[in-house]
Amino acid sequence: MLSLAQKVNAYLSTHEPWKKLSEDAESASTKYYVATQVVNALAILLAPFLPNTAQNIRTQLNLSPKINEHTLTQITQSPIPAKHCIQTPKILFTKLQKQTILRTLKA
């Protein structure tokens, strides 16, 4: 799962659709569409391990936060429709500074 998350992050970083939206909206929209599908799949795969985070991701995607055994099949059988509006993304995790980790380990 971490590898998939890194790959979608690299995909967005490489293509920078936010910079190309005004010059090639169709291509930029496709990049966002692909990323949205992958993020949804990641949320579903994360659910058994980080259920609250998975629900938070699905809420930000304007999808039902409820994840069940049928949700996984929806990834391929019923993908998120094109032009689906998502909420304004929010940070899921606070980045830990090395010093904070070291202090915690010493305590």
Side-chain angles (χ1 to χ4, degrees):
M1 286 184 278
L2 185 57
S3 176
L4 182 57
Q6 290 170 333
K7 286 180 182 178
V8 75
N9 188 45
Y11 174 79
L12 287 172
S13 294
T14 299
H15 294 289
E16 299 181 323
W18 54 91
K19 289 184 178 178
K20 299 173 182 166
L21 198 54
S22 60
E23 59 194 53
D24 190 355
E26 186 174 339
S27 176
S29 293
T30 299
K31 305 301 186 269
Y32 281 127
Y33 176 79
V34 169
T36 300
Q37 300 299 335
V38 175
V39 169
N40 183 41
L42 283 167
I44 293 165
L45 294 171
L46 280 172
F49 309 102
L50 298 167
N52 292 337
T53 299
Q55 290 176 348
N56 189 344
I57 292 168
R58 300 254 313 160
T59 298
Q60 289 186 44
L61 292 176
N62 266 343
L63 299 170
S64 170
K66 295 180 182 176
I67 299 172
N68 58 42
E69 65 273 7
H70 302 294
T71 312
L72 189 56
T73 59
Q74 290 174 350
I75 294 172
T76 56
Q77 295 176 0
S78 302
I80 299 169
K83 300 189 183 196
H84 176 83
C85 291
I86 65 170
Q87 295 181 9
T88 302
K90 296 178 183 128
I91 295 173
L92 295 169
F93 303 103
T94 304
K95 185 175 182 175
L96 293 175
Q97 300 298 324
K98 185 176 180 179
Q99 299 301 334
T100 303
I101 296 169
L102 292 174
R103 267 185 303 207
T104 303
L105 291 173
K106 288 180 183 178

